[in-house]
Amino acid sequence: MTAGTLRRATAAGWEERVRAAVRALDGPDVVVAVSRDGERLVHSGGHGPARQTDRERLRYEIGSASKTYTVLLLAALAHAGRVGAHDPVTAHLPPLRPDPHRDAITLTHLATHTSGLPRLPHDAEFLRRAVPAWRTNPYADYGTGHLLDAFARARVRHRPGSRWWYSNFGGALLGQALARTTATSYADLLTDHVLGPLGLGNTGLHPGTPGRDAVGHRRDGTTPVPPLVMRGFAPAGAVRATPHDLLTFLEAHVAPERTPLTAALREVTRPVLRRGLRPRQTHTLTWFRDGEVYYHPGATPGHEAFLGFHRATRTAVAVLAARSWSRRSSLGLTGYSLLTEADG
């Protein structure tokens, strides 16, 4: 078999893998996007009315995977000397009454989920504003001021840096602290230091005009939900992007030397902690890591997403569905399997 024949056979094999992955997923709009050494395969399906080419142009909400953008922003600002990665977060917020545990929380603690903050604020204001809309748009009425007030009243669950505990509260606080210390809105800051330099013109934080974003659905895949509005929690989960923009973002992590953010991209993929016993999990500043596979899942009330990459094989994968996550969903496993198959 000649080299050209082998390449064509390999490409055909991956084409079928991606098509099979789409067929295995359920939802009104489903997209599986793969980049192999810069060559892209993007296929879509679903039981909704959109055509394949339309689905590939739509933006999808990626939920918690948005934190990978926020932490890359932190790394970029730290490399530029605008902040210190180990600065106390209180140095970048309005003055608060002294508290030894809260004052010990650094920007890196927020990025790595080791701050000791709970997953979500426990204050009455959050419960009043978010819980009634939990299945549709829980953060739409919770602004940055509410977030900062919640932090001022928060009780740290354990000593910062001593334990891993996933926190959307911490992820949101990180982005808003960066915005406040630079006197720039989080959306503008992200655009100036991450989206712009990486050429991500079809990525944003706010709902677009009708027809630009995939319509999200509840777990049944038929009941639509409104576009997500996150306000103060935007840094923790507001990113929406097209499949091709997501591949561009992931390709930048595969080959950081080809981008203007080389140092920051290398920093966010450096292992910083391990946790658990069976299995033992490795974490970078923002990515979950298993061997050579880096990944981050995400979900919103109307969307589910998986982002990942494998540097050794120069493979990037984004799997998207316009319906909410459920325990029966195989979307994350599908994305992870495509990355591990890249070893073969």
Side-chain angles (χ1 to χ4, degrees):
M1 182 179 291
T2 66
T5 303
L6 180 61
R7 282 194 297 271
R8 288 192 294 273
T10 301
W14 269 96
E15 182 93 17
E16 179 50 36
R17 290 181 191 181
V18 174
R19 290 185 182 277
V22 170
R23 292 194 297 268
L25 297 173
D26 180 44
D29 298 299
V30 172
V31 180
V32 178
V34 175
S35 171
R36 295 266 295 169
D37 202 20
E39 295 186 10
R40 296 181 175 184
L41 291 170
V42 180
H43 289 289
S44 64
H47 58 257
R51 296 174 298 181
Q52 177 167 329
T53 53
D54 293 334
R55 290 185 175 109
E56 294 178 16
R57 288 195 291 261
L58 296 174
R59 301 190 308 175
Y60 295 79
E61 297 168 5
I62 65 169
S64 286
S66 303
K67 295 180 183 68
T68 62
Y69 292 72
T70 298
V71 179
L72 181 58
L73 173 62
L74 166 63
L77 292 176
H79 181 69
R82 303 284 298 276
V83 299
H86 298 287
D87 288 352
V89 65
T90 52
H92 302 287
L93 296 176
L96 300 173
R97 62 174 175 78
D99 179 279
H101 293 299
R102 188 176 56 216
D103 294 347
I105 297 173
T106 69
L107 300 180
T108 293
H109 289 146
L110 296 175
T112 57
H113 303 285
T114 57
S115 67
L117 291 174
R119 186 180 185 91
L120 294 167
H122 288 170
D123 66 323
E125 194 68 14
F126 183 80
L127 296 176
R128 184 177 74 83
R129 292 175 180 273
V131 172
W134 194 252
R135 300 182 69 181
T136 54
N137 228 332
Y139 304 101
D141 196 31
Y142 199 82
T144 302
H146 300 117
L147 182 78
L148 298 182
D149 288 345
F151 180 61
R153 295 189 294 268
R155 292 183 60 188
V156 179
R157 299 170 64 99
H158 50 264
R159 181 171 54 83
S162 65
R163 183 180 173 190
W164 188 91
W165 187 270
Y166 194 87
S167 176
N168 286 315
F169 188 5
L173 189 64
L174 171 61
Q176 299 301 353
L178 296 176
R180 189 179 187 280
T181 202
T182 57
T184 308
S185 72
Y186 173 74
D188 288 343
L189 194 63
L190 188 69
T191 298
D192 292 344
H193 294 275
V194 174
L195 306 185
L198 294 181
L200 304 177
N202 288 308
T203 300
L205 301 176
H206 307 296
T209 56
R212 188 179 186 194
D213 298 340
V215 176
H217 296 78
R218 290 173 62 171
R219 293 176 184 176
D220 59 14
T222 59
T223 306
V225 297
L228 188 66
V229 176
M230 295 200 72
R231 298 191 66 201
F233 264 81
V239 169
R240 62 247 297 150
T242 63
H244 283 282
D245 257 25
L246 291 172
L247 285 183
T248 299
F249 178 69
L250 294 168
E251 287 166 348
H253 290 75
V254 171
E257 69 280 0
R258 299 179 182 177
T259 77
L261 300 180
T262 301
L265 287 161
R266 288 176 174 162
E267 183 62 20
V268 299
T269 53
R270 181 175 58 84
V272 296
L273 64 92
R274 302 188 73 190
R275 70 177 183 92
L277 295 175
R278 298 179 181 175
R280 186 78 165 161
Q281 291 190 311
T282 300
H283 294 267
T284 74
L285 271 178
T286 186
W287 296 95
F288 299 90
R289 180 177 172 182
D290 185 3
E292 292 300 315
V293 172
Y294 299 76
Y295 65 97
H296 205 302
T300 70
H303 292 248
E304 185 182 3
F306 172 93
L307 304 184
F309 58 95
H310 191 305
R311 273 188 168 169
T313 60
R314 305 179 75 82
T315 302
V317 171
V319 184
L320 310 161
R323 55 110 183 91
S324 184
W325 174 85
S326 74
R327 294 187 181 276
R328 294 175 295 176
S329 173
S330 62
L331 186 145
L333 180 60
T334 295
Y336 186 85
S337 296
L338 286 169
L339 287 172
T340 55
E341 286 173 14
D343 277 326

